[in-house]
Amino acid sequence: LISGGATTFTAAASANGATGDCTITGGTLTNNALLDISNNLSMTAGTLTGTGNINVDGLVSLTNAAPAFNGNARTINVAGDWDETAAVFLAGTSEVIFDNNAPSLTATNSFYDFTVNGATGVTLNSAIVVTNNLTITAGTLDVGANNQITVGGNWNNSGGTFNENTGTVVFNNAGAILNNETFYDVNITVGARTCATGFTVSNNLVISGGSLTCNTAGTLTVSNALTLSGGDLTITNPVTLSVTNNFTINNALSTYSGTGNATITTGNLVISAGGATPTGTVTLTAGDMDISGGTNNFGGTVALNGADGDFLISGGATTFTAAASANGATGDCTITGGTLTNNALLDISNNL
């Protein structure tokens, strides 16, 4: 029970009883070796700092704005709930590891490294921000009532489960998606991001800044819409791109490129700014290629295979370096503006 003064543990300190707590209501506790708490860690005021690791077998309760829990560069293991209802935790370069069954998590401040390593995992009761790496080694990370997760570093699910529900994952700095994860909504806002094995977005992928490069293996699958609204997308063979609904490029800063093949199954390819310069094939199973702006150079074959898949050119400068075809019975090519340059066969099943 720490309520005042300045206390330092230079060697390991432990509360070993079944209900042994550490409660800080004032003063400063500095642990420079392991602080091992058999039950709960609670702070309503005061400071917890130091260089030693911390193990909490119960819950962590951080309330009121007065206390400061300094993560510094240490490892903090938590078996129970994390309940931070005021801005108390100062992550530093620490790693917080949730290592027991089904804790719930409410956070106000950000984490640095965040790891789920429990038998059943963690359920979010609030949005969380992880400024460095998010890792799932065992158990489940569940977004709960569709809470947003923001990650600045790597996403690494090496042995657990991610329940995305209808939540959004925001990537806001450089890093990698290291596994073939399934997300619901993804927004890439800043930084160069890579994916090693492809991944799936069951709703919308928005790249509003930075870049996404997939160049190792697998498929980037977007089950609804893909939008480049300020960032870049590169798909390099053997990776492929599969989009169900519209693939839209609508920002002058955005470019789609790469040697990987792309398929749009029901939607359109819509370009109003920026550009597309892929050298892989582009196949639209049902929709139109609708270009009103940008500078576009398609180095691989382009095939519109829908019954009424049309080339609609109303602006910009578009070049087909390889063959391009509108294969449907009523597939047209309609030019109302811009420039279309075909340097290989342009095959139109219906009207030009």
Side-chain angles (χ1 to χ4, degrees):
L1 303 173
I2 308 296
S3 58
T7 301
T8 300
F9 296 139
T10 303
S14 58
N16 298 317
T19 58
D21 298 328
C22 178
T23 301
I24 302 173
T25 59
T28 299
L29 174 60
T30 303
N31 68 295
N32 290 327
L34 177 66
L35 176 61
D36 192 0
I37 304 164
S38 294
N39 201 36
N40 300 327
L41 168 62
S42 300
M43 295 184 67
T44 57
T47 299
L48 174 58
T49 191
T51 59
N53 295 334
I54 298 175
N55 182 67
V56 182
D57 289 336
L59 62 81
V60 174
S61 176
L62 307 173
T63 59
N64 299 326
F69 180 4
N70 294 319
N72 297 328
R74 48 197 180 173
T75 300
I76 302 164
N77 288 79
V78 180
D81 296 346
W82 180 282
D83 184 15
E84 183 194 21
T85 56
V88 175
F89 182 59
L90 306 175
T93 57
S94 64
E95 179 182 15
V96 178
I97 302 173
F98 293 91
D99 60 4
N100 210 325
N101 295 335
S104 65
L105 188 153
T106 301
T108 301
N109 277 0
S110 61
F111 299 92
Y112 183 72
D113 284 332
F114 179 99
T115 298
V116 178
N117 188 35
T120 55
V122 174
T123 299
L124 302 184
N125 287 330
S126 71
I128 63 168
V129 175
V130 180
T131 60
N132 198 43
N133 298 328
L134 186 149
T135 303
I136 308 170
T137 55
T140 298
L141 175 58
D142 191 314
V143 302
N146 306 319
N147 293 295
Q148 179 172 297
I149 300 173
T150 300
V151 179
N154 296 336
W155 180 287
N156 186 6
N157 183 351
S158 60
T161 301
F162 176 55
N163 284 349
E164 71 277 12
N165 300 327
T166 56
T168 299
V169 175
V170 176
F171 293 105
N172 68 347
N173 212 329
I177 300 169
L178 297 173
N179 318 94
N180 189 3
E181 189 65 88
T182 297
F183 304 96
Y184 184 73
D185 283 330
V186 171
N187 190 353
I188 297 172
T189 62
V190 179
R193 184 151 298 273
T194 61
C195 65
T197 59
F199 61 94
T200 297
V201 180
S202 60
N203 196 40
N204 298 323
L205 169 60
V206 177
I207 306 176
S208 58
S211 63
L212 173 62
T213 301
C214 298
N215 59 5
T216 304
T219 299
L220 172 58
T221 300
V222 182
S223 299
N224 193 23
L226 167 60
T227 302
L228 306 187
S229 58
D232 299 325
L233 173 63
T234 301
I235 303 294
T236 303
N237 188 53
V239 181
T240 58
L241 171 65
S242 176
V243 181
T244 299
N245 291 319
N246 287 355
F247 178 3
T248 301
I249 306 172
N250 60 15
N251 189 291
L253 299 177
S254 292
T255 301
Y256 164 58
S257 63
T259 58
N261 298 332
T263 301
I264 303 171
T265 56
T266 63
N268 304 319
L269 175 58
V270 181
I271 305 173
S272 59
T277 60
T279 56
T281 64
V282 176
T283 303
L284 281 74
T285 305
D288 301 328
M289 177 175 282
D290 185 350
I291 299 178
S292 60
T295 301
N296 311 290
N297 191 331
F298 294 88
T301 60
V302 175
L304 310 186
N305 292 333
D308 189 31
D310 300 324
F311 292 109
L312 304 172
I313 310 297
S314 60
T318 299
T319 300
F320 296 139
T321 302
S325 58
N327 298 317
T330 58
D332 298 329
C333 178
T334 302
I335 303 173
T336 58
T339 301
L340 175 59
T341 303
N342 67 294
N343 292 328
L345 176 65
L346 177 60
D347 191 0
I348 305 164
S349 294
N350 201 36
N351 300 325
L352 170 61

